[in-house]
Amino acid sequence: MGNRIVVVCTANMIRSPFIAGLLSSRLAATTEGRLGIESAGTAARPGDQAAPEILDLGRTYGLDLSAHRTRRLDDDVLATGDTVLCAERAHRRVVLDLRPDLLPSVFTVREFARLVDDEAVRAAASDWAGLVRAASRARLAGRSSAEDIDDVIDPVGRPQHVWTEFERQATQAVSTILGVIAGLPALESPAEGRQRAAGTRRDYRTRHAVPSSRRAARRG
């Protein structure tokens, strides 16, 4: 399992660049570049900019998506070991038509967030590859939900309330995924590792400390 995430939607103009942008900007500070984030569209016309609406929405989250250019998903985009996070189940089917070997590591974004939010899945993983494997096993074990819950709604040409729902679905899924990643020991920063180790040592000393009355008895 590699350390690259490819986010996929239809045109690569709205959902996938926004989700990939959120992941990239937040992960840069927590994983120091150890997870690469890219995006593509199953029916994208290469070289287009992100939609104006998503440029505006991105800015509210501190994202500058002006440099984004659309890319069509094809076999050359995907590599062995990639984790692919799709906006919809329909995109997942396209990915698997291209690369059936990626079956264990292709999810919808919301599906992946739901699976890794399970305590047992988190406990089984110490790094990104382990997290993806644990999520895949959980899916095979039948930890599923109503199918429509796992898609990120497409807001193109829809009223404002649909755009608001898209924003909610996308940001909640990303927030969940980022929270789980932040807890992976193999991806934490050196400072976080030292802090966690110090906390572990303190907990150990607390659990194994000899009560003062017993210390006094030993000296006596």
Side-chain angles (χ1 to χ4, degrees), residues 3 26-35 125-129 131 178-201:
N3 279 351
R26 276 54 175 181
L27 285 175
T30 58
T31 68
E32 299 178 350
R34 282 168 281 181
L35 278 177
S126 61
D127 58 12
W128 173 253
L131 183 66
L178 289 172
V180 174
I181 290 174
L184 295 174
L187 289 178
E188 65 190 3
S189 69
E192 290 169 333
R194 289 192 295 271
Q195 184 177 17
R196 182 172 60 84
T200 301
R201 288 193 295 272

Side-chain angles (χ1 to χ4, degrees), residues 4-214:
R4 189 175 75 142
I5 301 171
V6 181
V7 185
V8 173
C9 70
T10 303
N12 196 212
M13 295 181 70
I14 295 176
R15 289 176 289 179
S16 57
F18 179 64
I19 291 168
L22 285 174
L23 286 169
S24 296
S25 65
R26 276 54 175 181
L27 285 175
T30 58
T31 68
E32 299 178 350
R34 282 168 281 181
L35 278 177
I37 314 293
E38 299 184 22
S39 68
T42 58
R45 183 174 62 185
D48 286 344
Q49 290 184 306
E53 297 92 338
I54 215 64
L55 292 174
D56 290 341
L57 181 60
R59 280 191 283 269
T60 68
Y61 288 88
L63 305 178
D64 181 3
L65 299 176
S66 60
H68 173 77
R69 294 296 180 270
T70 56
R71 179 171 63 162
R72 189 179 183 90
L73 181 75
D74 57 34
D75 190 43
D76 293 334
V77 171
L78 300 172
T80 301
D82 283 347
T83 301
V84 186
L85 301 181
C86 304
E88 300 177 13
R89 285 162 290 125
H91 302 134
R92 185 174 182 269
R93 289 191 288 270
V94 174
V95 171
L96 292 176
D97 282 344
L98 290 170
R99 293 294 301 264
D101 59 300
L102 294 180
L103 176 63
S105 59
V106 183
F107 308 82
T108 72
V109 176
R110 297 181 73 196
E111 175 191 28
F112 188 72
R114 174 173 54 77
L115 290 167
V116 301
D117 199 32
D118 185 278
E119 184 177 354
V121 172
R122 296 195 305 270
S126 61
D127 58 12
W128 173 253
L131 183 66
V132 175
R133 287 193 296 269
S136 183
R137 289 194 299 269
R139 178 169 59 187
L140 287 173
R143 297 178 198 174
S144 58
S145 63
E147 289 187 343
D148 58 348
I149 292 177
D150 281 339
D151 286 356
V152 174
I153 195 168
D154 186 354
V156 175
R158 310 286 292 279
Q160 181 56 47
H161 74 271
V162 179
W163 281 89
T164 301
E165 179 63 8
F166 153 69
E167 179 184 355
R168 184 191 69 81
Q169 291 177 356
T171 55
Q172 283 188 355
V174 169
S175 178
T176 297
I177 293 168
L178 289 172
V180 174
I181 290 174
L184 295 174
L187 289 178
E188 65 190 3
S189 69
E192 290 169 333
R194 289 192 295 271
Q195 184 177 17
R196 182 172 60 84
T200 301
R201 288 193 295 272
R202 284 195 299 272
D203 290 344
Y204 180 89
R205 288 195 297 268
T206 299
R207 289 194 303 269
H208 295 81
V210 178
S212 57
S213 59
R214 288 168 56 190

